[in-house]
Amino acid sequence: MANRGLKSCLCVSLLFLIIVTIVIVTLSFTMFKPKNPKITVQPVGLEDLASAISPNLTQNISLGMMITVGNPNYGSFEYQNSTGYVNFHDSVIGEVPIRADFVPARSMIMMNTSADFMIGKLLKDPNFWSDILQGTLNFTSETALPGKAGFLKIFKLQATSYSSCDISLNIKAKNVTSNCISKIKF
């Protein structure tokens, strides 16, 4: 009799374990599947750019940046201090320090930082003056944010968020458009 009860308990426990495993696997491939972050970059203070360049063309200048990071995942992401790089025709002409931060699950954070541009290096690029005459300067930026992705405050995985942005500065209109592509790797 006790043997029969033990077999029934074992069968029910095994069935329960199979159902829980199926539910966890299904959720991990659907709802909890990692989604890429949504990142936008918006320079601040473009009005002051011309006056900052005019006095001394060899001086480095800083341009304020507003970076918005949206986390569409059901897990949080905590990243370390990092540096983003701004390129002009495959030449690094600026650095953007990014301070460590925490992005909660399914939320958005905004951070202020500044891009330090090497004006002398930019002016030496043969493409600079032709782009100025066309009225648009095109830049790219690349950033890698190493950190930890957390889920349910229990599981933590090493992850890195990569972002690549195409940034177009319209000189006459003094506005900037950016298009960023982001991905996360575990």
Side-chain angles (χ1 to χ4, degrees), residues 1-157:
M1 193 71 131
N3 211 9
R4 189 172 170 189
L6 184 62
K7 285 182 183 182
S8 295
C9 182
L10 185 62
C11 286
V12 169
S13 297
L14 186 61
L15 183 63
F16 179 74
L17 185 62
I18 290 171
I19 291 171
V20 168
T21 303
I22 290 171
V23 168
I24 288 174
V25 169
T26 302
L27 286 176
S28 68
F29 283 117
T30 57
M31 197 164 94
F32 298 131
K33 181 180 177 186
K35 298 169 191 75
N36 294 324
K38 309 246 184 301
I39 299 174
T40 57
V41 177
Q42 201 58 37
V44 179
L46 280 178
E47 301 80 28
D48 303 330
L49 185 61
S51 62
I53 293 175
S54 300
N56 186 354
L57 293 175
T58 60
Q59 177 181 9
N60 290 348
I61 64 166
S62 291
L63 180 64
M65 306 286 280
M66 174 65 74
I67 301 174
T68 305
V69 179
N71 181 5
N73 294 299
Y74 285 92
S76 61
F77 183 63
E78 184 172 10
Y79 58 89
Q80 304 163 4
N81 288 335
S82 187
T83 302
Y85 297 96
V86 179
N87 301 310
F88 181 74
H89 292 280
D90 299 325
S91 178
V92 176
I93 55 103
E95 294 183 352
V96 181
I98 300 171
R99 63 174 165 68
D101 209 341
F102 176 79
V103 186
R106 301 186 58 78
S107 66
M108 184 179 296
I109 64 165
M110 295 170 62
M111 69 179 91
N112 291 318
T113 187
S114 62
D116 298 321
F117 288 100
M118 298 169 252
I119 298 300
K121 193 171 182 180
L122 182 63
L123 293 174
K124 289 178 186 174
D125 192 301
N127 299 303
F128 177 73
W129 295 110
S130 64
D131 286 0
I132 287 284
L133 292 173
Q134 291 177 359
T136 304
L137 291 174
N138 294 311
F139 302 96
T140 58
S141 69
E142 297 172 357
T143 306
L145 298 174
K148 291 183 181 180
F151 179 68
L152 297 176
K153 297 184 181 181
I154 299 171
F155 305 106
K156 293 212 182 229
L157 296 171

